[in-house]
Amino acid sequence: MHFFQRAGIASRLYTAFALILSVTLILAAFAISRVNSIEAALHGADSVRNSELEPLYAAREALAQTGIAARNAYIFKDEAAARHELDLVDARKADYLAALARLDPVLRDNAQYGQVRAGMLAMARELERPRAYLASGDLEGFGSFLVEECSPLRRSIVADIDVLLKDLQTRTAEAVRTANAEASGARYWFTGLGILGGLVCVLVARVGG
């Protein structure tokens, strides 16, 4: 403070400006750091949702549609309509295999996903059989296949998907909580540094006066 009293006006102004600039730069650097942390946390949540959750939801829905179409093919008496339903089985099967192809790079090391994948590939093989039943007119065998083999396998796959979904949803929730915590902490720090900057300005103005 004695320095400010002895210094000339120009020196006081330069010193005051330097102090204010230092606080401003510290605040800016901290703001950039916190924003980067929040962005990273949000990116993690988006990554889980876009690359893992959405394809898994799509695979589960396509799997369910294969079951509906296969059942319709069994029920429909019109052969053309039944074959159309089997075409839908093939289309939805292709959809869930495509979803698995999207999931493979990001979940290949996840043991639960490995179980889901194995079940869905087994179902893909099983879904080749309805055409043979329909072509041979073996409706009794077709019905037994749907009830005794296809349905239990599908329920097992869905249960495995639910376990995997809960794990991935937990990861997404944790990423969102991290982002919220970063944002909350940043608000306190910004407020504190802003108050500190104001106090420095007031102090410099009083001493300089």
Side-chain angles (χ1 to χ4, degrees):
M1 291 187 182
H2 293 297
F3 168 76
F4 277 106
Q5 293 171 351
R6 293 196 302 267
I9 294 176
S11 297
R12 296 178 188 179
L13 290 175
Y14 285 137
T15 303
F17 177 76
L19 287 172
I20 295 171
L21 180 61
S22 297
V23 172
T24 302
L25 290 175
I26 291 172
L27 181 59
F30 184 79
I32 292 172
S33 173
R34 302 302 284 189
V35 168
N36 288 339
S37 296
I38 295 170
E39 183 180 12
L42 291 175
H43 177 73
D46 286 339
S47 176
V48 173
R49 181 172 59 252
N50 295 330
S51 65
E52 300 175 11
L53 284 175
E54 290 184 2
L56 191 56
Y57 287 135
R60 184 176 63 177
E61 176 61 24
L63 177 67
Q65 292 299 318
T66 62
I68 294 171
R71 182 195 61 193
N72 289 343
Y74 171 72
I75 294 173
F76 290 168
K77 302 303 181 183
D78 181 75
E79 184 175 348
R83 291 188 181 281
H84 174 69
E85 292 300 316
L86 291 182
D87 290 339
L88 292 179
V89 170
D90 291 340
R92 299 294 79 79
K93 180 179 71 174
D95 288 343
Y96 82 62
L97 290 176
L100 290 181
R102 291 176 58 191
L103 290 166
D104 284 346
V106 293
L107 291 178
R108 66 165 63 93
D109 297 325
N110 186 305
Q112 184 62 31
Y113 171 69
Q115 188 169 330
V116 170
R117 186 177 186 277
M120 297 190 83
L121 292 179
M123 178 61 79
R125 293 189 294 269
E126 293 299 314
L127 290 175
E128 300 295 329
R129 295 168 60 183
R131 285 192 183 277
Y133 286 121
L134 191 63
S136 65
D138 184 8
L139 293 182
E140 183 178 352
F142 194 176
S144 296
F145 163 74
L146 292 176
V147 174
E148 298 175 7
E149 299 180 57
C150 191
S151 183
L153 177 57
R154 182 174 289 103
R155 285 196 296 269
S156 175
I157 295 170
V158 170
D160 289 337
I161 290 176
D162 286 344
V163 173
L164 180 58
L165 279 173
K166 288 178 181 177
D167 177 61
L168 298 180
Q169 288 165 349
T170 298
R171 287 173 51 195
T172 302
E174 289 174 353
V176 171
R177 282 195 296 270
T178 298
N180 290 336
E182 291 284 351
S184 179
R187 283 195 294 270
Y188 290 119
W189 277 100
F190 293 158
T191 301
L193 288 174
I195 293 172
L196 177 61
L199 291 175
V200 170
C201 292
V202 172
L203 179 62
V204 170
R206 291 184 61 183
V207 175

